[in-house]
Amino acid sequence: MAEAAAKGKPGWRAVLAALGHRKTAYMLLFGFAAGLPYALVLGTLYAWLSDSGEIDLETMGVFSLVGLAYAFKFLWSPALDRVDIPVLRKLGKRKQWIVTAQLLIGAALTSLSFIAPTNETIGIFSLLAGLAAFASATQDVVIDAWRVDVADEVATIDILSTVYQMGYRIAALVGGAFALFLAERTDWPTVYLTMGALMLVVGFAGLWAPDADATASETNGEEDKDDPYGLRKAGQLSPRLRAWSLAAVGALWGWALITVGVFMVRSLSSNPDTRPDSVEFISTMGPLIVIATVVIPSIIAAWLVRQERMGTNLLTEAAPAQSTADRAVDHLYRALVLPLTDLIGRLGWAMVIVIALVLTYRITDAIWGSFAYPFYLGELEYTKDEVAVASKFFGVGALLLGLALGGYLLTAIGRMLTLTLGAFFAAVTNLLYADLARGGAVMQSVADNTGFTWLVSALGGDERLSKLMMAIAGENIAVGVAGAAFVAYLSSIVSKGYSAVQYALLSSLTLLVGTLGRGALGQMIEERGYYDVFILTTLIGMFAVVLCIIEWMRQARLGKAAGVVAPEAVAASKAS
């Protein structure tokens, strides 16, 4: 009834119907649960270490493994798609991992509250922080998959994606600004005990969340224990070819896992001299890991798809598994290789466009983010309090407004138009900062003529602060629209049966270019100043606009009107 009623409604009515849905409420809760540990472990924890007075900056480098867990979370995503937790499997395919991860995060944060960070305790302290980061990254993978799995015609993937980001941003405010506020009035152990308890409550609340069981789609309706995935029927690729392909992909992923694992262990060393440089690791090994786990496996997957379509190396008759080893190969092939062959099989040559779009869409804010505070505090010489008010409080409000606007636009004008507009505005709002780098005359004029300067002054600020807040508002609203559209787009092109692996791979790629480009951007700032950098990032952002238009045209040519569920999502839904 609800689904039927939602069809054909104007954008705002569809949004209201979706917001009242049980799945949407849990999506907000899960978004909050995803954002809180990231803010606490990757940001706020450094404030605690600094306040302790016993931990030097070099020792703080041990926490570089936290960022690594998020950057390479796709490496263990196949296990999350295939492995069940004893007893907890009854909760549901995704919920078993979501609840477990949230309870682990809560336990780790609570445990941190009982340990004072000193040179003697830094080992166990960093181990708990690493556990929280690993569980948080794991939670992210499964929540992304849950969002794809449970989406329907009322709680659409567009609305769920927007609400997820709203919860995430609210959590960033709670785990950042509010945590600092609370620490100032109590102490750090109280902060982490409170936040840990909050995560435990969220974990228990997740027990009642809806879940989508993808068993039917994974087994293709087959119950034969010797061929549970339908891989050994006539017309399927030969087991020998699949085994060789799995061996190649497995070796590459195994190398990547070992490389990352060794780095994490070395980062936990109590001897600062033996700890590796995380920036150097990301810049040198990052591209190699992506080549080993994405590029080469994608080429292998494309070759397998071609073999199947050409009718070569196929079984002429059913060949049931004869041993435990055969079943293990089928199981691992389903977990590691099939997600890639499914994605490439559906997208074909368009996979090149998708990867290019994924790499470039968030590049402007991904690169710029690391230099925001040096720009505010150093170049523009604002105080820490002014930056906190403008960026953390007012900025988060503007970002939430942008997300809300993005959610409405997704429903009202369609996904691809919203995606394109988001890319355009996210790029051109870099010009607002370019104006600030030249003195901010335009921003000051806009603030003065709109009455914003008067409002800021009435609240205790000054004219100078108003132009910074105006620029941050413009950028954050644009980033909110772009973020809502981009998450919805990524969610639409993955299959329900392989959502954990496919989304984890694509979302990890969004961080790649930004991470690798920060060094070059920092050097450019030193040599040419901030103004030229903002002009450059604006031009770079236009590449994403062009790619959005190309992808929009591709989807239109496939007979799908702009704004309707992407053809890849329709295909995935039918396959499921």
Side-chain angles (χ1 to χ4, degrees):
M1 291 289 290
E3 292 181 4
K7 287 183 178 181
K9 288 186 177 181
W12 66 270
R13 291 187 179 179
V15 171
L16 290 178
L19 292 178
H21 202 286
R22 178 167 168 253
K23 294 176 182 177
T24 308
Y26 271 101
M27 188 75 268
L28 182 66
L29 184 68
F30 287 164
F32 182 86
L36 189 62
Y38 187 89
L40 290 171
V41 179
L42 200 61
T44 306
L45 195 62
Y46 288 95
W48 186 4
L49 295 176
S50 298
D51 280 353
S52 71
E54 296 193 31
I55 308 300
D56 56 40
L57 291 175
E58 186 176 5
T59 303
M60 289 184 193
V62 71
F63 294 98
S64 60
L65 68 91
V66 171
L68 198 66
Y70 289 97
F72 296 112
K73 60 189 178 183
F74 66 90
L75 289 176
W76 58 90
S77 60
L80 304 178
D81 233 352
R82 299 301 311 140
V83 177
D84 292 328
I85 303 174
V87 181
L88 295 181
R89 175 62 181 91
K90 65 178 72 174
L91 292 177
K93 177 179 174 63
R94 306 302 184 192
K95 276 171 57 180
Q96 60 177 331
W97 284 105
I98 292 175
V99 172
T100 300
Q102 289 171 350
L103 294 179
L104 278 175
I105 295 167
L109 294 177
T110 302
S111 299
L112 281 173
S113 69
F114 295 100
I115 303 173
T118 65
N119 288 321
E120 290 72 27
T121 63
I122 192 62
I124 185 65
F125 198 85
S126 60
L127 182 62
L128 288 170
L131 174 62
F134 178 79
S136 178
T138 298
Q139 174 191 223
D140 288 355
V141 172
V142 190
I143 287 177
D144 289 333
W146 181 88
R147 180 176 63 248
V148 173
D149 290 351
V150 304
D152 56 34
E153 294 182 353
V154 178
T156 65
I157 195 64
D158 295 335
I159 294 297
L160 291 179
S161 299
T162 302
V163 170
Y164 166 79
Q165 287 210 67
M166 285 185 171
Y168 195 97
R169 298 299 180 176
I170 292 172
L173 186 61
V174 172
F178 178 75
L180 293 172
F181 177 85
L182 185 61
E184 188 70 23
R185 285 150 182 81
T186 57
D187 53 39
W188 284 112
T190 300
V191 170
Y192 277 79
L193 182 62
T194 302
M195 299 299 173
L198 187 57
M199 280 300 304
L200 291 174
V201 170
V202 171
F204 284 112
L207 292 171
W208 289 272
D211 199 14
D213 196 324
T215 301
S217 66
E218 291 168 3
T219 62
N220 297 319
E222 298 288 343
E223 299 296 335
D224 186 355
K225 67 177 182 179
D226 292 327
D227 189 17
Y229 310 120
L231 295 172
R232 294 178 173 271
K233 298 186 297 185
Q236 295 294 313
L237 291 170
S238 71
R240 181 180 179 83
L241 180 63
R242 289 192 293 104
W244 278 108
S245 302
L246 174 63
V249 175
L252 292 169
W253 277 62
W255 169 81
L257 272 171
I258 292 172
T259 301
V260 173
V262 169
F263 176 82
M264 287 184 173
V265 172
R266 291 182 62 200
S267 295
L268 287 171
S269 171
S270 58
N271 183 0
D273 296 332
T274 64
R275 295 173 190 155
D277 186 326
S278 62
V279 175
E280 181 182 355
F281 179 86
I282 291 292
S283 62
T284 57
M285 299 305 298
L288 294 178
I289 290 174
V290 171
I291 290 173
T293 56
V294 179
V295 178
I296 297 178
S298 294
I299 294 173
I300 294 173
W303 182 72
L304 292 173
V305 170
R306 180 173 176 79
Q307 293 294 302
E308 192 169 6
R309 290 179 177 175
M310 292 178 61
T312 55
N313 290 305
L314 303 182
L315 291 171
T316 56
E317 59 182 20
Q322 300 297 317
S323 65
T324 301
D326 289 344
R327 298 184 188 94
V329 168
D330 290 349
H331 187 79
L332 292 172
Y333 186 85
R334 163 60 180 80
L336 200 56
V337 181
L338 276 186
L340 291 173
T341 58
D342 168 80
L343 195 61
I344 292 173
R346 287 185 292 108
L347 295 177
W349 65 268
M351 188 68 182
V352 176
I353 298 175
V354 171
I355 290 179
L357 180 57
V358 167
L359 287 172
T360 59
Y361 192 84
R362 302 303 301 271
I363 187 174
T364 53
D365 50 293
I367 291 180
W368 157 241
S370 297
F371 302 99
Y373 286 115
F375 178 62
Y376 299 147
L377 299 172
E379 180 75 7
L380 302 182
E381 298 183 345
Y382 285 96
T383 67
K384 293 179 181 178
D385 286 344
E386 288 174 330
V387 172
V389 170
S391 179
K392 293 299 183 183
F393 291 100
F394 180 76
V396 169
L399 187 60
L400 292 175
L401 177 61
L403 288 170
L405 178 60
Y408 171 77
L409 291 176
L410 283 167
T411 305
I413 65 175
R415 181 182 302 137
M416 292 310 301
L417 178 53
T418 305
L419 188 75
T420 305
L421 289 175
F424 176 77
F425 289 122
V428 298
T429 49
N430 280 270
L431 297 178
L432 305 183
Y433 289 105
D435 176 63
L436 290 181
R438 285 288 183 91
V442 175
M443 286 294 94
Q444 191 66 67
S445 177
V446 173
D448 292 343
N449 291 324
T450 58
F452 188 70
T453 299
W454 173 86
L455 179 61
V456 172
S457 298
L459 294 175
D462 56 24
E463 292 185 357
R464 189 166 171 272
L465 180 61
S466 66
K467 64 182 179 183
L468 175 64
M469 295 175 69
M470 182 62 69
I472 288 177
E475 186 210 22
N476 283 12
I477 290 174
V479 168
V481 173
F486 188 59
V487 172
Y489 170 71
L490 286 186
S491 300
S492 75
I493 62 175
V494 302
S495 297
K496 288 189 175 183
Y498 311 100
S499 51
V501 178
Q502 291 178 353
Y503 193 95
L505 278 170
L506 293 174
S507 62
S508 294
L509 288 177
T510 64
L511 304 174
L512 179 63
V513 177
T515 300
L516 298 179
R518 286 170 191 159
L521 195 68
Q523 182 178 355
M524 183 178 178
I525 290 173
E526 290 288 337
E527 295 176 354
R528 304 189 59 174
Y530 282 96
Y531 178 82
D532 287 348
V533 166
F534 288 124
I535 299 300
L536 176 63
T537 53
T538 300
L539 295 175
I540 291 175
M542 290 302 167
F543 281 106
V545 177
V546 173
L547 289 168
C548 285
I549 294 173
I550 294 173
E551 172 67 355
W552 190 358
M553 293 172 61
R554 180 188 75 84
Q555 293 193 15
R557 280 200 300 269
L558 290 177
K560 302 298 178 181
V564 179
V565 176
E568 296 84 6
V570 174
S573 177
K574 290 180 179 179
S576 298

